[in-house]
Amino acid sequence: MASLVASLFIFSLLRLGDALSVDYYAETCPQAEAAVMEAVKRATANDNTVPAALLRMHFHDCFVRGCDASVLLNSKGNNTAEKDGPPNISLHAFYVIDNAKKAVEKLCPGVVSCADILALAARDAVALSGGPKWEVPKGRKDGRVSKASESTQLPAPTLDFSQLKQIFSQRGLSIKDLVALTGGHTLGFAHCSSFQNRIHNFDATHDVDPSMNSDFAARLRKVCPAHNKVKNAGSAMDSTTTVFDNAYYKLLIQGKGLFSSDEALLTHPKTKQLASKFAASQEEFFEAFVKSMIRMGSIQGGQEVRKDCRVVNQ
């Protein structure tokens, strides 16, 4: 059912005149998707944090200048690139995209954009982690501009509902997209700094955010003391950190969400209802997530097909 809905949604996008197409490389590079999947599969076999990294990388790419692979560009000369902006310092697994690009270039040089490779890799990351698989509309182009200063446009973990709604709305994304895409937090790990505000000096009257489950907060405070000096200290995003499922929502409605931005989903009736629905039905979550990934992946902004994902064409 979910795959049928996803397929219908893709074709409704195409009918709306979207430049992207699921068949974009059908004649020019039909083996591209298999090559990308192989690169993601190989990397994941060696490092189970790769899927979370690739999914996050795609999100961070799309929210700044659209899905144009600007997050992959290296800093050069006086320009500090997006990937070196504060919210992106912890991004990793760029080598997976490099390997996929090399494999695709051998098959069909100069045809497949880095932005499309990243979108495909994010889809494969979800599928390999037990999540849904969907047809990715393709035809994105790679951007030539990447500025660390623009990485501040990314949704921060400290944002409240109205701030999150505004950021998503500016990109043509709905409240339902906000709740569904936040479910990507089912994969991965968060450093103490991203939720420290909730477990120490929360406000004038509470040391800990009162909306957080007290036992959960106590465990986090042990791992992340007030003056934490352990660089890699933190917590898994949910109880099944390498499995793409709806455990994130189940924990969220129990007061066990990590970020302020997670808890923000429970502060508005519509988003709370959606979070509860996704907690109750993994199928409903998967269906909504696929639709929202396709919608987010349609935010465009590039001009070229890079030869090297880290460097603009000369």
Side-chain angles (χ1 to χ4, degrees), residues 1-313:
M1 178 62 185
S3 61
L4 173 62
V5 171
S7 299
L8 291 172
F9 183 75
I10 290 167
F11 289 113
S12 70
L13 273 179
L14 299 180
R15 281 200 303 275
L16 288 170
D18 199 294
L20 303 184
S21 162
V22 296
D23 298 320
Y24 192 81
Y25 300 114
E27 293 183 10
T28 54
C29 199
Q31 296 162 294
E33 294 202 32
V36 174
M37 171 60 99
E38 184 55 34
V40 176
K41 200 181 281 185
R42 193 173 300 154
T44 302
N46 292 323
D47 178 0
N48 66 8
T49 70
V50 161
L54 294 174
L55 182 57
R56 185 166 174 245
M57 196 185 294
H58 181 48
F59 284 159
H60 284 216
D61 182 39
C62 292
F63 269 77
V64 180
R65 292 183 171 268
C67 312
D68 67 344
S70 53
V71 75
L72 304 178
L73 288 170
N74 287 340
S75 296
K76 185 181 179 184
N78 293 327
N79 182 62
T80 307
E82 272 174 53
K83 66 163 61 166
D84 294 319
N88 288 330
I89 292 294
S90 59
L91 287 182
H92 69 103
F94 290 101
Y95 72 92
V96 183
I97 305 301
D98 293 336
N99 291 345
K101 177 66 170 172
K102 282 174 193 161
V104 171
E105 285 295 299
K106 280 182 185 172
L107 294 169
C108 30
V111 173
V112 182
S113 68
C114 299
D116 276 343
I117 288 172
L118 180 50
L120 290 167
R123 184 272 312 273
D124 295 340
V126 170
L128 288 169
S129 303
K133 182 161 186 178
W134 64 95
E135 289 283 352
V136 175
K138 297 164 287 288
R140 297 165 191 80
K141 294 291 185 280
D142 300 324
R144 295 181 58 84
V145 177
S146 183
K147 297 177 181 295
S149 59
E150 294 181 351
S151 66
T152 56
Q153 297 170 18
L154 290 164
T158 52
L159 298 188
D160 62 24
F161 170 73
S162 62
Q163 293 167 318
L164 289 167
K165 182 185 175 186
Q166 182 181 12
I167 287 176
F168 275 69
S169 176
Q170 286 167 347
R171 288 154 182 80
L173 299 171
S174 68
I175 285 177
K176 188 169 185 179
D177 294 323
L178 162 61
V179 181
L181 291 172
T182 304
H185 287 172
T186 182
L187 295 178
F189 178 88
H191 291 97
C192 295
S193 58
S194 58
F195 54 87
Q196 197 88 354
N197 65 306
R198 297 190 71 202
I199 58 171
H200 299 289
N201 303 315
F202 177 68
D203 62 21
T205 51
H206 303 94
D207 196 26
V208 174
D209 183 344
S211 65
M212 185 179 270
N213 176 283
S214 57
D215 291 340
F216 180 60
R219 287 202 303 276
L220 293 177
R221 282 165 64 91
K222 281 184 183 172
V223 177
C224 302
H227 302 289
N228 174 53
K229 296 283 192 290
V230 182
K231 186 182 175 186
N232 292 320
S235 171
M237 298 295 283
D238 75 8
S239 53
T240 55
T241 183
T242 60
V243 179
F244 194 95
D245 56 18
N246 66 337
Y248 162 80
Y249 297 104
K250 291 178 180 177
L251 292 170
L252 178 63
I253 61 177
Q254 294 170 29
K256 297 178 183 177
L258 276 180
F259 301 156
S260 296
S261 59
D262 293 323
E263 179 60 29
L265 300 184
L266 302 182
T267 63
H268 184 273
K270 172 77 171 166
T271 51
K272 186 175 184 178
Q273 178 197 4
L274 286 166
S276 298
K277 182 159 84 167
F278 296 158
S281 170
Q282 183 162 281
E283 188 179 353
E284 295 235 28
F285 164 48
F286 282 8
E287 200 173 293
F289 183 80
V290 166
K291 286 184 181 181
S292 295
M293 282 292 283
I294 292 169
R295 208 187 320 263
M296 181 189 75
S298 301
I299 308 170
Q300 296 180 65
Q303 307 88 35
E304 66 182 21
V305 174
R306 266 181 236 144
K307 298 184 185 78
D308 178 339
C309 290
R310 295 179 184 241
V311 185
V312 297
N313 293 344

